[in-house]
Amino acid sequence: MKAVRFHEYGDASVLRYEDVEQPVPGAGEVLIRVAATSFNGVDGNIRGGFMQGPIPVTLPHIPGLDVSGTVEALGEGVTDLAIGDQVVGFLPMAGDGAAAEYVVASAGILTPAPTSIPLPDAAALPVVGLTAWQALFDHGKLTAGQRVLINGAGGAVGGYAVQLAKNAGAYVLATAGPRSSEQVRTAGADEVIDHTTTDVLTAATSVDIVLNLAPIDPAQLAALPTLIRSGGVLVNTTVWMPAPGDEQRGVRGIDLFVRSDADQLSRLVALIDSGELRVDVAQRVPLAELSAVHAQAATGELHGKAVVVAPAA
């Protein structure tokens, strides 16, 4: 099969499009004919060698944490999936990913793919959708009527977070630049703060939850708890800067490490198919050109979610 691999850590040029032996599913696993994977920021950090402690991959390594595709073969003991099923999932970070024509996955991490969008586009959902869900509901304990500030709402996680928070009955304040402000407003934000002209620390006050998705200045991150009401929470995804809190007022700071969860993913899929959650895809790129996506991301030119489409069968 064709796959993209890196044999050494480095910049985007270490990614090679090459022939690789097709994997075989073991007990409890399935073989997926990949429709698409997507690019996530952590892919670039793994490839660059910056995540060797928390995410120890074996070289050569196939990237691609998101997968959408069709079940091609069943391993021993798999009874809840059938050949031909269309599925979506968040693959283990340290294992080989879906930047390939085929990938093996544990049956337990997969959920039926949305039926209302093209199968390749479903690869835009798992990692970023689960990040938004877990930030708001697992850690933020979001309930209707609360005020939520989403800092960095213009990115892929932010797009889902705005929609999910609004659907849950929250009042949503969101920061975004001029390029993405209209998209954030369309997603349902009640107030959009242009972070290029306005200081969020003066524009937003008395919120219950802050979701920080942006690689902001450490001093600004440290100041975010001042916007949060007593007993509230700051959930931070930029984990190289630990989330601050305010013990005296009971404001918690939580660093989010997203995890695969098939049940949560199935709830996100249901929201897509009911029309309550929109999947935005900025570009669709052939698998052979994955290195160009990594290069775009490294220079800050990658805007929105890139879906990486496997060769047709």
Side-chain angles (χ1 to χ4, degrees):
M1 69 173 184
K2 289 293 186 183
V4 172
R5 298 196 297 184
F6 55 91
H7 296 247
E8 62 201 5
Y9 297 113
D11 63 19
S13 67
V14 301
L15 293 167
R16 300 185 199 169
Y17 185 59
E18 58 192 10
D19 290 312
V20 179
E21 194 171 332
Q22 186 176 307
V24 177
E29 296 179 330
V30 300
L31 179 69
I32 300 169
R33 170 83 203 192
V34 176
T37 184
S38 84
F39 176 83
N40 292 288
V42 70
D43 290 318
N45 290 328
I46 293 171
R47 185 214 68 235
F50 308 121
M51 304 294 285
Q52 294 179 57
I55 308 173
V57 301
T58 301
L59 299 179
H61 177 71
I62 301 173
L65 300 174
D66 292 311
V67 65
S68 64
T70 305
V71 175
E72 184 91 358
L74 306 175
E76 186 184 344
V78 176
T79 57
D80 49 353
L81 288 171
I83 291 171
D85 284 354
Q86 294 190 335
V87 293
V88 63
F90 173 4
L91 300 170
M93 288 193 177
D96 272 337
E101 291 182 287
Y102 295 91
V103 68
V104 159
S106 167
I109 69 164
L110 302 171
T111 200
T115 57
S116 58
I117 61 173
L119 184 58
D121 286 3
L125 175 67
V127 171
V128 288
L130 286 170
T131 299
W133 182 281
Q134 290 167 19
L136 291 169
F137 303 116
D138 288 1
H139 301 296
K141 310 296 183 190
L142 176 65
T143 56
Q146 289 188 312
R147 286 167 59 88
V148 180
L149 169 64
I150 299 170
N151 196 39
V157 176
Y160 289 115
V162 170
Q163 293 181 77
L164 290 170
K166 194 63 188 166
N167 288 349
Y171 185 88
V172 180
L173 302 93
T175 72
R179 181 196 301 273
S180 54
S181 60
E182 190 52 45
Q183 186 176 327
V184 170
R185 196 170 279 108
T186 301
D190 295 287
E191 293 181 37
V192 179
I193 301 163
D194 182 349
H195 65 79
T196 64
T197 59
T198 308
D199 183 0
V200 67
L201 297 173
T202 58
T205 55
S206 298
V207 296
D208 300 287
I209 301 168
V210 171
L211 174 50
N212 181 58
L213 308 172
I216 56 176
D217 180 88
Q220 191 181 31
L221 181 65
L224 287 177
T226 63
L227 306 178
I228 303 172
R229 293 169 174 160
S230 297
V233 61
L234 166 64
V235 184
N236 179 45
T237 63
T238 56
V239 293
W240 61 91
M241 295 190 294
D246 184 341
E247 228 172 276
Q248 285 187 316
R249 297 190 303 114
V251 173
R252 295 173 297 133
I254 294 171
D255 292 303
L256 170 65
F257 295 87
V258 64
R259 58 184 175 79
S260 183
D261 188 308
D263 290 336
Q264 291 179 353
L265 190 53
S266 70
R267 293 168 80 173
L268 290 166
V269 167
L271 289 171
I272 291 167
D273 284 339
S274 68
E276 296 171 82
L277 188 65
R278 193 179 70 248
V279 174
D280 289 316
V281 176
Q283 58 177 319
R284 297 166 184 85
V285 181
L287 177 61
E289 296 172 23
L290 177 58
S291 62
V293 177
H294 278 245
Q296 270 188 305
T299 56
E301 295 166 23
L302 184 65
H303 302 291
K305 194 68 172 167
V307 162
V308 181
V309 183

